[in-house]
Amino acid sequence: MTPPLPPSPWPASARLRLREFAAHDAQDIVDMHHDPRVRALLVDDHPLHEPRAAQGFIAGMQAFYRRHEGTGIWCAERAVPPDPESVAEARAAHAAGEIDDALLARVQAPTWRFIGWFSLVHLMDAPGELEIGARLLPEAWGGALALDGGEWLLARAFAGLGRARVFGHCDPANRSAAHCLRVLGFAGAGLAPYSGHEAARFQLERAHWAGWHALPRRERLRRVRGMG
């Protein structure tokens, strides 16, 4: 049996958290898929720019969470720091005894904004295997959020679920996604059919993950750049 996750949200890092999709997320999904940059290099594009399709996706995923506990496609949110002036005013009011600890904590807490999703699901052509994936808004490209989420997914797959290997896929032209997978420790495994298209396949073994993720991220980035 797959161990269930505790109630969401789950912190992947101080700047990223994941949670189960809810009905109120439909418009965010629609808006994301209206951006042609998001859909340009997808290997499993679906009409999620249409409200009915987005609502159906969420309903299906909510059922999936309960049928396949511990795996799924999860809503990703990034932390937005509070306004510095508001924090300064709140701290001054707290020092003067005008507000209590709880109110100060609320003012200092970040808000959370939708940036896409991360997934840990079974391979269509090999249901006994898992793959990780992500679909993010352009504002989250090229930064650390994809690595934060990927590391959380791999910890879930290897440490939480005891998997021997994990796969990843991307469009063969998607150099950014391939780079991210390599920084996470994946090695190229050629091309493979994927949802009616051809995708670049990557594979990561648990033994390599254990040693690779013991390295600081900066060192992993340096080594991948050195590979050319």
Side-chain angles (χ1 to χ4, degrees):
M1 294 291 290
T2 300
L5 285 161
S8 64
W10 310 291
S13 67
R15 58 198 160 206
L16 175 69
R17 72 181 188 182
L18 308 182
R19 61 172 174 80
E20 294 185 355
F21 273 107
H24 62 76
D25 297 311
Q27 189 59 50
D28 284 327
I29 292 174
V30 168
D31 292 343
M32 178 169 71
H33 288 85
H34 268 298
D35 190 326
R37 295 171 295 175
V38 172
R39 298 178 65 182
L41 294 176
L42 297 180
V43 291
D44 58 347
D45 194 15
H46 299 287
L48 294 176
H49 60 291
E50 299 174 1
R52 182 173 296 181
Q55 293 161 4
F57 165 80
I58 291 173
M61 193 50 55
Q62 289 174 334
F64 183 96
Y65 296 140
R66 304 289 77 84
R67 289 199 308 270
H68 305 282
E69 288 283 351
T71 60
I73 301 174
W74 296 296
C75 180
E77 297 175 318
R78 74 181 306 168
V80 179
D83 174 61
E85 291 186 8
S86 298
V87 171
E89 291 175 1
R91 288 174 176 170
H94 182 264
E98 297 171 0
I99 64 173
D100 60 15
D101 293 348
L103 181 54
L104 176 63
R106 286 200 296 273
V107 173
Q108 294 184 129
T111 56
W112 295 90
R113 186 169 68 207
F114 174 86
I115 56 146
W117 71 49
F118 286 90
S119 62
L120 180 66
V121 295
H122 295 271
L123 277 175
M124 289 182 291
D125 61 344
E129 303 286 357
L130 291 180
E131 66 168 329
I132 70 167
R135 187 170 300 179
L136 302 176
L137 292 170
E139 68 183 70
W141 294 357
L145 291 171
L147 295 176
D148 290 348
E151 289 169 0
W152 186 91
L153 294 171
L154 291 174
R156 174 64 186 162
F158 288 125
L161 304 180
R163 290 286 171 159
R165 70 191 64 81
V166 176
F167 293 87
H169 296 84
C170 67
D171 186 287
N174 194 334
R175 296 170 60 186
S176 177
H179 175 77
C180 180
L181 287 166
R182 293 188 186 281
V183 174
L184 290 170
F186 285 82
L191 298 175
Y194 193 91
S195 191
H197 301 275
E198 187 174 70
R201 172 168 284 185
F202 293 81
Q203 183 171 332
L204 175 59
E205 303 290 333
R206 187 217 300 259
H208 180 65
W209 169 79
W212 184 253
H213 282 262
L215 298 172
R217 183 181 291 180
R218 181 175 298 178
E219 174 62 16
R220 287 182 272 138
L221 284 163
R222 186 189 68 79
R223 294 191 184 191
V224 170
R225 292 192 193 103
M227 296 174 186

